[in-house]
Amino acid sequence: MRSNSGVTPLTVFVKPWPCGGSCLYCPKVEGLPNSYLPRVNVSNIADQFSSYMQTLHWLKKIVSRGGEASKIEIIILGGSFTTLPDEYIKSFINGVYHAIEGVQIGTYTLEEIIVIHEQSTAPRIIGITVETRPDLIEIKQIRRLFNYGITKVELGIQHLNENILVFNRRKQPKAVVYNAVDVLKNCGLKVGFHMLLGMPNSSLSIDTEMFDLLFHDEGLQPDHLKIYFCEFFKKPFMRSRMVDLFDSQKWKPLTKSERQTLLLKIIPKVPFYVRISRIGRKVSKQDVEEIGRAHV
Protein backbone atom coordinates (compact mmCIF):
# COMPACT_ATOMS: atom_id res chain seq x y z
CA MET A 1 0.00 0.00 0.00
CA ARG A 2 1.29 3.47 -0.88
CA SER A 3 -0.17 4.76 2.41
CA ASN A 4 2.37 2.65 4.30
CA SER A 5 5.09 4.93 2.90
CA GLY A 6 3.24 8.04 4.05
CA VAL A 7 1.67 8.72 0.65
CA THR A 8 -2.11 8.52 0.30
CA PRO A 9 -3.55 7.98 -3.20
CA LEU A 10 -6.67 9.98 -4.01
CA THR A 11 -8.57 9.18 -7.22
CA VAL A 12 -10.81 11.61 -9.11
CA PHE A 13 -12.68 11.05 -12.38
CA VAL A 14 -13.07 13.39 -15.32
CA LYS A 15 -16.44 13.72 -17.02
CA PRO A 16 -17.41 11.27 -19.80
CA TRP A 17 -15.70 12.45 -22.96
CA PRO A 18 -15.15 10.79 -26.36
CA CYS A 19 -11.54 9.70 -26.77
CA GLY A 20 -11.69 9.37 -30.54
CA GLY A 21 -10.72 5.69 -30.48
CA SER A 22 -12.65 2.60 -31.48
CA CYS A 23 -10.78 -0.13 -29.62
CA LEU A 24 -12.43 -3.51 -30.00
CA TYR A 25 -12.21 -4.53 -26.35
CA CYS A 26 -13.26 -1.27 -24.65
CA PRO A 27 -16.69 -1.34 -22.96
CA LYS A 28 -18.90 1.71 -23.12
CA VAL A 29 -21.71 2.63 -20.70
CA GLU A 30 -23.81 5.74 -21.21
CA GLY A 31 -23.08 8.42 -18.62
CA LEU A 32 -19.80 6.92 -17.42
CA PRO A 33 -16.18 7.56 -18.46
CA ASN A 34 -14.76 5.26 -21.13
CA SER A 35 -14.15 1.62 -20.04
CA TYR A 36 -16.03 1.99 -16.72
CA LEU A 37 -19.01 -0.16 -15.81
CA PRO A 38 -22.32 0.46 -13.99
CA ARG A 39 -21.34 -1.05 -10.66
CA VAL A 40 -18.06 0.79 -10.32
CA ASN A 41 -18.53 3.41 -7.62
CA VAL A 42 -17.93 6.43 -9.82
CA SER A 43 -21.27 8.18 -10.24
CA ASN A 44 -22.13 7.91 -6.54
CA ILE A 45 -19.32 10.24 -5.53
CA ALA A 46 -18.56 12.11 -8.71
CA ASP A 47 -21.13 14.91 -8.16
CA GLN A 48 -21.32 15.41 -11.91
CA PHE A 49 -17.56 14.78 -12.00
CA SER A 50 -16.59 17.92 -10.11
CA SER A 51 -12.91 17.58 -9.21
CA TYR A 52 -13.44 19.89 -6.24
CA MET A 53 -16.28 17.84 -4.74
CA GLN A 54 -14.60 14.51 -5.44
CA THR A 55 -11.38 15.63 -3.76
CA LEU A 56 -13.27 16.93 -0.72
CA HIS A 57 -15.22 13.68 -0.51
CA TRP A 58 -12.10 11.52 -0.38
CA LEU A 59 -10.21 13.85 1.94
CA LYS A 60 -13.05 13.55 4.45
CA LYS A 61 -13.06 9.76 4.02
CA ILE A 62 -9.32 9.57 4.66
CA VAL A 63 -9.54 11.67 7.81
CA SER A 64 -12.59 9.78 9.10
CA ARG A 65 -10.61 6.54 8.82
CA GLY A 66 -7.79 7.96 10.90
CA GLY A 67 -5.49 8.95 8.06
CA GLU A 68 -3.38 12.09 8.18
CA ALA A 69 -3.43 12.79 4.45
CA SER A 70 -0.25 14.84 4.76
CA LYS A 71 1.11 13.60 1.42
CA ILE A 72 -1.41 13.13 -1.38
CA GLU A 73 -0.93 11.45 -4.73
CA ILE A 74 -3.71 12.61 -7.07
CA ILE A 75 -4.70 10.04 -9.68
CA ILE A 76 -6.94 11.38 -12.45
CA LEU A 77 -8.90 8.66 -14.26
CA GLY A 78 -11.69 8.43 -16.76
CA GLY A 79 -10.11 8.18 -20.18
CA SER A 80 -7.61 9.95 -22.41
CA PHE A 81 -6.88 13.11 -20.45
CA THR A 82 -5.14 14.91 -23.31
CA THR A 83 -8.27 14.77 -25.49
CA LEU A 84 -10.08 17.07 -23.08
CA PRO A 85 -10.35 20.81 -23.91
CA ASP A 86 -7.56 22.88 -22.38
CA GLU A 87 -9.97 25.04 -20.39
CA TYR A 88 -11.60 21.96 -18.88
CA ILE A 89 -8.18 20.55 -17.95
CA LYS A 90 -7.22 23.78 -16.22
CA SER A 91 -10.56 23.98 -14.41
CA PHE A 92 -10.37 20.34 -13.31
CA ILE A 93 -6.86 20.61 -11.89
CA ASN A 94 -7.75 23.97 -10.34
CA GLY A 95 -10.61 22.29 -8.46
CA VAL A 96 -8.26 19.68 -7.01
CA TYR A 97 -5.85 22.30 -5.70
CA HIS A 98 -8.67 24.39 -4.20
CA ALA A 99 -10.06 21.36 -2.36
CA ILE A 100 -6.65 20.40 -1.00
CA GLU A 101 -6.09 23.97 0.19
CA GLY A 102 -9.56 24.08 1.75
CA VAL A 103 -10.71 27.20 -0.08
CA GLN A 104 -13.87 27.78 -2.09
CA ILE A 105 -13.60 26.81 -5.72
CA GLY A 106 -12.84 29.80 -7.95
CA THR A 107 -11.13 31.84 -5.25
CA TYR A 108 -7.85 31.79 -7.17
CA THR A 109 -6.66 31.13 -10.68
CA LEU A 110 -4.82 27.86 -11.27
CA GLU A 111 -1.50 29.65 -11.40
CA GLU A 112 -2.24 31.44 -8.10
CA ILE A 113 -3.40 28.33 -6.23
CA ILE A 114 -0.32 26.40 -7.36
CA VAL A 115 1.94 29.09 -5.87
CA ILE A 116 -0.08 29.04 -2.64
CA HIS A 117 0.08 25.25 -2.51
CA GLU A 118 3.84 25.24 -3.01
CA GLN A 119 4.16 27.31 0.17
CA SER A 120 1.82 25.09 2.21
CA THR A 121 2.96 22.45 4.68
CA ALA A 122 0.17 19.86 4.72
CA PRO A 123 -1.70 18.34 3.10
CA ARG A 124 0.67 18.42 0.14
CA ILE A 125 0.23 17.05 -3.36
CA ILE A 126 3.41 15.11 -4.05
CA GLY A 127 2.34 13.93 -7.48
CA ILE A 128 -0.46 14.07 -10.05
CA THR A 129 -1.01 11.22 -12.51
CA VAL A 130 -3.07 11.35 -15.70
CA GLU A 131 -3.66 8.73 -18.40
CA THR A 132 -3.88 8.94 -22.17
CA ARG A 133 -3.02 7.18 -25.43
CA PRO A 134 0.46 7.38 -27.04
CA ASP A 135 -0.98 8.96 -30.18
CA LEU A 136 -2.40 11.82 -28.11
CA ILE A 137 0.92 13.16 -26.84
CA GLU A 138 1.75 16.68 -28.00
CA ILE A 139 4.83 18.37 -26.55
CA LYS A 140 3.28 21.82 -26.00
CA GLN A 141 0.39 20.35 -24.03
CA ILE A 142 2.69 18.09 -22.00
CA ARG A 143 4.80 21.10 -21.02
CA ARG A 144 1.63 22.86 -19.85
CA LEU A 145 0.62 19.79 -17.82
CA PHE A 146 4.06 19.76 -16.23
CA ASN A 147 3.55 23.39 -15.16
CA TYR A 148 0.20 22.40 -13.64
CA GLY A 149 1.92 19.88 -11.37
CA ILE A 150 1.50 16.69 -13.41
CA THR A 151 4.32 14.30 -12.52
CA LYS A 152 3.38 11.07 -14.31
CA VAL A 153 1.56 10.13 -17.49
CA GLU A 154 0.23 6.60 -17.90
CA LEU A 155 0.09 5.48 -21.52
CA GLY A 156 -2.42 2.94 -22.77
CA ILE A 157 0.15 0.86 -24.64
CA GLN A 158 -1.92 -2.35 -24.35
CA HIS A 159 0.38 -4.33 -26.65
CA LEU A 160 3.58 -3.99 -28.66
CA ASN A 161 2.62 -6.29 -31.53
CA GLU A 162 1.32 -4.08 -34.34
CA ASN A 163 -0.67 -6.88 -35.97
CA ILE A 164 -2.56 -7.48 -32.74
CA LEU A 165 -3.17 -3.75 -32.32
CA VAL A 166 -4.53 -3.44 -35.86
CA PHE A 167 -6.79 -6.46 -35.34
CA ASN A 168 -8.16 -4.78 -32.20
CA ARG A 169 -8.65 -1.45 -34.02
CA ARG A 170 -5.94 0.25 -32.05
CA LYS A 171 -4.12 2.70 -34.36
CA GLN A 172 -0.75 2.79 -32.67
CA PRO A 173 2.43 2.21 -34.70
CA LYS A 174 5.59 1.58 -32.70
CA ALA A 175 7.02 4.91 -33.83
CA VAL A 176 4.13 6.67 -32.06
CA VAL A 177 4.86 4.81 -28.82
CA TYR A 178 8.57 5.64 -28.96
CA ASN A 179 7.82 9.30 -29.65
CA ALA A 180 5.38 9.52 -26.72
CA VAL A 181 7.86 7.95 -24.31
CA ASP A 182 10.64 10.22 -25.55
CA VAL A 183 8.53 13.39 -25.19
CA LEU A 184 7.38 12.51 -21.67
CA LYS A 185 10.82 11.58 -20.38
CA ASN A 186 12.41 14.67 -21.93
CA CYS A 187 9.78 16.79 -20.16
CA GLY A 188 10.85 15.28 -16.84
CA LEU A 189 7.76 13.14 -16.32
CA LYS A 190 7.52 9.58 -15.10
CA VAL A 191 6.03 7.18 -17.61
CA GLY A 192 3.54 4.42 -16.82
CA PHE A 193 2.35 1.72 -19.21
CA HIS A 194 -1.01 -0.04 -19.24
CA MET A 195 -0.52 -3.54 -20.69
CA LEU A 196 -3.44 -5.73 -21.75
CA LEU A 197 -3.00 -9.51 -21.76
CA GLY A 198 -5.14 -12.02 -23.62
CA MET A 199 -6.29 -9.69 -26.38
CA PRO A 200 -8.02 -11.12 -29.47
CA ASN A 201 -5.43 -12.55 -31.89
CA SER A 202 -2.75 -12.78 -29.20
CA SER A 203 -1.43 -15.83 -27.32
CA LEU A 204 0.37 -16.70 -24.09
CA SER A 205 3.70 -16.93 -25.91
CA ILE A 206 3.25 -13.59 -27.70
CA ASP A 207 2.28 -11.86 -24.45
CA THR A 208 5.28 -13.37 -22.68
CA GLU A 209 7.73 -12.26 -25.39
CA MET A 210 6.26 -8.76 -25.24
CA PHE A 211 7.58 -8.30 -21.71
CA ASP A 212 11.12 -9.08 -22.90
CA LEU A 213 10.91 -6.23 -25.38
CA LEU A 214 9.29 -3.94 -22.84
CA PHE A 215 12.42 -3.64 -20.71
CA HIS A 216 15.23 -4.49 -23.13
CA ASP A 217 14.27 -1.82 -25.66
CA GLU A 218 15.74 1.52 -24.55
CA GLY A 219 12.93 3.35 -26.30
CA LEU A 220 10.40 1.85 -23.87
CA GLN A 221 11.43 0.94 -20.29
CA PRO A 222 8.51 2.42 -18.29
CA ASP A 223 8.83 3.50 -14.66
CA HIS A 224 5.45 2.06 -13.71
CA LEU A 225 3.07 -0.68 -14.85
CA LYS A 226 -0.58 -1.58 -14.70
CA ILE A 227 -1.32 -5.06 -16.01
CA TYR A 228 -4.83 -5.94 -17.14
CA PHE A 229 -6.55 -8.93 -18.70
CA CYS A 230 -8.84 -8.57 -21.69
CA GLU A 231 -12.37 -9.26 -20.45
CA PHE A 232 -15.71 -9.85 -22.07
CA PHE A 233 -18.31 -7.80 -20.25
CA LYS A 234 -22.06 -7.94 -20.72
CA LYS A 235 -22.91 -7.86 -24.41
CA PRO A 236 -24.76 -4.50 -24.35
CA PHE A 237 -21.49 -2.87 -23.24
CA MET A 238 -19.35 -4.41 -25.98
CA ARG A 239 -18.76 -3.61 -29.65
CA SER A 240 -20.55 -5.89 -32.11
CA ARG A 241 -17.35 -7.33 -33.57
CA MET A 242 -16.14 -8.33 -30.10
CA VAL A 243 -19.51 -10.00 -29.48
CA ASP A 244 -19.13 -11.92 -32.75
CA LEU A 245 -15.66 -13.15 -31.79
CA PHE A 246 -16.95 -14.26 -28.42
CA ASP A 247 -20.10 -15.95 -29.73
CA SER A 248 -18.22 -17.77 -32.49
CA GLN A 249 -15.60 -18.94 -29.95
CA LYS A 250 -12.83 -17.36 -32.01
CA TRP A 251 -11.73 -15.61 -28.83
CA LYS A 252 -12.43 -16.04 -25.14
CA PRO A 253 -10.97 -14.48 -21.99
CA LEU A 254 -8.01 -16.19 -20.38
CA THR A 255 -8.95 -18.70 -17.69
CA LYS A 256 -7.74 -18.27 -14.13
CA SER A 257 -5.12 -20.95 -14.71
CA GLU A 258 -3.88 -19.28 -17.90
CA ARG A 259 -3.62 -15.94 -16.12
CA GLN A 260 -1.61 -17.42 -13.30
CA THR A 261 0.71 -19.20 -15.74
CA LEU A 262 1.25 -15.99 -17.69
CA LEU A 263 1.94 -13.91 -14.60
CA LEU A 264 4.50 -16.43 -13.35
CA LYS A 265 6.36 -15.95 -16.64
CA ILE A 266 6.17 -12.18 -17.00
CA ILE A 267 6.48 -10.82 -13.47
CA PRO A 268 10.11 -12.03 -13.07
CA LYS A 269 10.94 -10.04 -16.22
CA VAL A 270 9.95 -6.76 -14.55
CA PRO A 271 12.97 -4.89 -13.09
CA PHE A 272 12.99 -4.21 -9.35
CA TYR A 273 12.76 -0.45 -9.86
CA VAL A 274 9.45 -0.65 -11.77
CA ARG A 275 6.37 -0.26 -9.63
CA ILE A 276 3.42 -2.50 -10.50
CA SER A 277 0.37 -0.82 -9.02
CA ARG A 278 -2.31 -3.05 -10.51
CA ILE A 279 -2.79 -6.59 -11.79
CA GLY A 280 -6.29 -7.12 -13.15
CA ARG A 281 -9.24 -4.88 -12.44
CA LYS A 282 -12.09 -4.95 -9.96
CA VAL A 283 -15.22 -5.96 -11.81
CA SER A 284 -18.62 -6.98 -10.50
CA LYS A 285 -19.62 -10.49 -11.59
CA GLN A 286 -22.92 -8.97 -12.68
CA ASP A 287 -21.11 -6.95 -15.36
CA VAL A 288 -19.26 -9.92 -16.90
CA GLU A 289 -20.54 -12.71 -19.14
CA GLU A 290 -20.42 -16.12 -17.47
CA ILE A 291 -17.34 -17.46 -19.25
CA GLY A 292 -15.38 -14.33 -18.38
CA ARG A 293 -15.68 -14.57 -14.62
CA ALA A 294 -12.28 -16.07 -13.95
CA HIS A 295 -10.42 -13.18 -12.35
CA VAL A 296 -7.02 -13.08 -10.69
Side-chain angles (χ1 to χ4, degrees):
M1 294 291 291
R2 289 283 282 164
S3 56
N4 291 340
S5 62
V7 178
T8 302
L10 192 156
T11 300
V12 290
F13 287 85
V14 297
K15 66 181 180 180
W17 187 261
C19 70
S22 57
C23 302
L24 190 63
Y25 46 78
C26 186
K28 178 59 182 167
V29 178
E30 188 71 28
L32 289 180
N34 286 337
S35 83
Y36 287 90
L37 300 161
R39 291 167 184 83
V40 175
N41 188 20
V42 177
S43 56
N44 289 341
I45 59 93
D47 193 16
Q48 296 187 352
F49 301 95
S50 160
S51 60
Y52 180 77
M53 296 304 297
Q54 289 182 75
T55 305
L56 284 182
H57 170 89
W58 288 117
L59 279 176
K60 291 177 182 177
K61 283 280 188 183
I62 292 166
V63 173
S64 68
R65 294 169 181 169
E68 294 184 5
S70 58
K71 298 178 183 178
I72 302 291
E73 178 184 16
I74 301 294
I75 302 171
I76 301 176
L77 300 180
S80 299
F81 192 73
T82 52
T83 62
L84 294 161
D86 287 341
E87 285 306 310
Y88 178 81
I89 288 175
K90 285 189 68 173
S91 174
F92 192 89
I93 297 174
N94 192 25
V96 171
Y97 277 109
H98 274 73
I100 294 292
E101 284 301 312
V103 295
Q104 186 65 37
I105 182 70
T107 304
Y108 303 102
T109 66
L110 176 57
E111 292 74 16
E112 290 169 341
I113 198 68
I114 288 175
V115 172
I116 292 170
H117 186 70
E118 288 173 347
Q119 299 170 352
S120 300
T121 53
R124 286 297 306 275
I125 297 174
I126 56 87
I128 302 177
T129 296
V130 299
E131 55 184 13
T132 192
R133 295 200 314 264
D135 60 314
L136 298 173
I137 295 296
E138 198 271 323
I139 192 166
K140 290 182 179 179
Q141 186 182 40
I142 296 304
R143 285 173 175 166
R144 285 197 297 272
L145 293 181
F146 180 85
N147 291 332
Y148 298 160
I150 306 301
T151 54
K152 180 169 66 179
V153 175
E154 296 181 1
L155 296 172
I157 302 297
Q158 316 306 359
H159 214 286
L160 297 174
N161 184 301
E162 291 189 3
N163 291 330
I164 292 172
L165 291 172
V166 170
F167 185 87
N168 285 272
R169 298 178 179 172
R170 184 84 173 184
K171 299 177 181 179
Q172 187 173 288
K174 285 185 179 179
V176 170
V177 174
Y178 291 132
N179 177 71
V181 173
D182 185 62
V183 167
L184 294 174
K185 289 186 176 181
N186 283 332
C187 286
L189 297 170
K190 291 183 179 180
V191 180
F193 281 8
H194 293 189
M195 307 305 296
L196 187 61
L197 306 177
M199 293 171 67
N201 220 31
S202 188
S203 66
L204 295 180
S205 60
I206 292 175
D207 286 352
T208 301
E209 292 170 2
M210 174 175 65
F211 271 73
D212 286 322
L213 179 62
L214 199 59
F215 298 106
H216 286 105
D217 191 322
E218 293 183 358
L220 301 172
Q221 299 179 339
D223 305 295
H224 167 259
L225 277 180
K226 287 182 178 178
I227 300 172
Y228 296 96
F229 298 101
C230 195
E231 307 283 8
F232 190 78
F233 305 104
K234 290 297 184 181
K235 292 182 181 181
F237 308 150
M238 307 303 295
R239 297 182 184 275
S240 59
R241 187 178 172 212
M242 192 70 164
V243 174
D244 290 342
L245 289 172
F246 179 83
D247 286 344
S248 64
Q249 299 186 12
K250 293 180 180 179
W251 171 84
K252 64 178 181 179
L254 297 176
T255 65
K256 183 174 182 179
S257 175
E258 288 172 329
R259 296 174 192 219
Q260 291 173 337
T261 298
L262 188 52
L263 288 175
L264 287 172
K265 290 180 178 179
I266 66 175
I267 296 301
K269 299 176 183 292
V270 181
F272 71 92
Y273 58 83
V274 176
R275 179 183 165 219
I276 302 176
S277 66
R278 180 176 292 280
I279 297 177
R281 60 182 289 181
K282 293 181 180 179
V283 180
S284 168
K285 291 182 178 180
Q286 298 175 65
D287 287 334
V288 182
E289 290 292 336
E290 184 70 26
I291 195 172
R293 289 186 176 185
H295 293 278
V296 174

